[in-house]
């Protein structure tokens, strides 16, 4: 039986001014100019996030999943990978550290007026803290992000950042799981799915959510599938839900 979906009630902070005006009964949260719609089902520490607007299979998989399982899901309101921010665009999965945000903000706009880049980074720093307060699970909850790939990206490209690797003979290398917790990895080794363990910080933090989760000792899982492989992504989510707790 489907549980009813509940809009999540949070204390939302209005950004962009010195006054942090608290409002109750919000069903969304802002980060770096992007709106994230929140969907809660029941009471669970588990968190889910869909970050890239062009990865529509991942959105559909998460919409289906949060109707069946308890947790709080974040859906970015975007149809493109990058989101507008100030006078440029930025990848929302490259701004979860200040260093990452620095590179991400300069990617499409190498030249900033003196002082303006620092102000933009300071603003993202402040918003990130509030955003992560809601996004990061407490206790022993999972943080699950869903992504899709289009062409060349596959599990082999993650080998350099991984401490352990389990690649299955019958699996497509473009469908795989990244996890940050070694106990979760042990369980997923026995799954039908490709899985890598990334529990050491890389030399260069690219600002992706996984490294921030690792810094906070949060059990993070990235479920990556080929775009269009909805049944596959749903099944991987279900496997994680049913086997990791
Ligand atoms: Zn993605």
């Amino acid at each position: 039986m489907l549980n009813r979906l509940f809009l999540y009630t949070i204390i939302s902070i209005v950004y962009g001014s010195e006054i942090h005006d608290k409002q109750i009964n919000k069903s969304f949260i802002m980060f770096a100019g992007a709106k994230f719609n929140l969907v809660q089902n029941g009471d669970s520490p588990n968190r889910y996030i869909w970050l890239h607007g062009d990865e529509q299979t991942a959105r559909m998989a998460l919409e289906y999943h949060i109707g069946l399982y308890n947790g709080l899901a974040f859906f970015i309101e975007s149809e493109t990978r990058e989101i507008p921010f100030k006078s440029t665009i930025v990848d929302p999965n490259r701004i979860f550290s200040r260093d990452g945000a620095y590179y991400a903000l300069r990617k499409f706009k190498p030249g900033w007026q003196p002082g303006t880049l620092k102000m933009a980074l300071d603003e993202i720093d402040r918003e990130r803290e509030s955003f992560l307060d809601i996004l990061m699970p407490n206790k022993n909850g999972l943080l699950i992000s869903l992504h899709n790939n289009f062409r060349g990206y596959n599990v082999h490209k993650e080998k350099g950042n991984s401490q352990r690797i389990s690649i299955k003979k019958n699996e497509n290398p473009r469908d795989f799981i990244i996890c940050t917790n070694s106990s979760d990895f042990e369980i997923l080794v026995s799954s039908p799915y490709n899985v890598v363990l990334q529990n050491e910080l890389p030399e260069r933090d690219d600002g992706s959510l996984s490294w921030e989760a690792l810094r906070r000792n949060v059990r993070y899982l990235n479920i990556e599938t080929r775009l269009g492989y909805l049944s596959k992504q749903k099944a991987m989510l279900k496997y994680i839900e049913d086997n990791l707790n």
Side-chain angles (χ1 to χ4, degrees):
M1 191 174 118
L2 285 177
N3 290 311
R4 278 190 60 198
L5 297 181
F6 295 95
L7 287 177
Y8 190 52
T9 302
I10 59 156
I11 295 173
S12 159
I13 298 169
V14 176
Y15 302 110
S17 72
E18 289 305 303
I19 305 159
H20 283 196
D21 187 16
K22 288 181 180 176
Q23 294 178 305
I24 317 258
N25 290 330
K26 284 294 179 189
S27 58
F28 64 89
I29 184 168
M30 304 294 293
F31 179 33
K35 182 179 178 185
F36 287 79
N37 293 305
L38 306 179
V39 178
Q40 186 170 37
N41 185 0
D43 188 23
S44 157
N46 289 353
R47 299 286 185 266
Y48 309 86
I49 187 165
W50 174 64
L51 268 169
H52 286 142
D54 56 341
E55 300 172 4
Q56 290 288 321
T57 305
R59 175 184 60 77
M60 289 185 269
L62 182 52
E63 280 176 354
Y64 174 82
H65 189 80
I66 200 64
L68 297 175
Y69 291 88
N70 290 346
L72 175 63
F74 291 60
F75 294 89
I76 196 165
E77 202 167 283
S78 173
E79 292 181 355
T80 52
R81 181 182 182 88
E82 282 89 13
I83 52 171
F85 179 76
K86 309 266 181 217
S87 54
T88 185
I89 55 172
V90 69
D91 182 334
N93 198 30
R94 291 291 177 273
I95 56 176
F96 288 101
S97 69
R98 191 177 174 97
D99 282 356
Y102 173 81
Y103 289 105
L105 287 181
R106 296 182 74 236
K107 181 173 179 184
F108 298 102
K109 185 187 176 182
W112 287 70
Q113 291 300 312
T116 55
L117 181 56
K118 181 183 182 301
M119 280 172 61
L121 290 169
D122 289 346
E123 185 178 321
I124 290 177
D125 279 353
R126 285 194 299 273
E127 295 190 3
R128 185 190 307 113
E129 279 308 305
S130 312
F131 185 73
L132 293 176
D133 279 349
I134 311 270
L135 177 65
M136 288 291 171
N138 55 19
K139 291 176 278 179
N140 213 25
L142 305 173
L143 173 58
I144 298 175
S145 72
L146 292 110
H147 290 271
N148 298 131
N149 54 65
F150 303 82
R151 286 175 296 274
Y153 182 53
N154 64 66
V155 67
H156 300 292
K157 309 225 166 175
E158 289 295 335
K159 282 178 173 171
N161 277 333
S162 302
Q163 281 65 57
R164 297 186 61 192
I165 297 159
S166 168
I167 292 175
K168 311 299 195 294
K169 273 200 178 102
N170 298 322
E171 276 291 285
N172 189 299
R174 288 171 56 196
D175 302 331
F176 61 98
I177 299 165
I178 300 172
C179 67
T180 60
N181 177 284
S182 57
S183 305
D184 292 339
F185 177 82
E186 290 300 337
I187 292 168
L188 293 171
V189 165
S190 315
S191 79
Y193 307 118
N194 299 320
V195 57
V196 297
L197 174 67
Q198 298 185 347
N199 63 352
E200 290 175 15
L201 287 171
E203 272 181 31
R204 205 196 115 185
D205 173 355
D206 64 1
S208 79
L209 181 58
S210 61
W211 304 127
E212 179 59 17
L214 183 56
R215 274 189 289 272
R216 292 175 183 235
N217 208 20
V218 161
R219 295 165 67 198
Y220 171 89
L221 296 122
N222 174 355
I223 306 180
E224 178 85 42
T225 69
R226 289 163 284 174
L227 189 72
Y229 283 71
L230 179 58
S231 310
K232 184 60 174 283
Q233 198 156 27
K234 283 182 185 172
M236 291 165 82
L237 254 178
K238 180 172 169 21
Y239 189 94
I240 282 172
E241 199 80 51
D242 293 345
N243 292 278
L244 304 187
N245 41 42

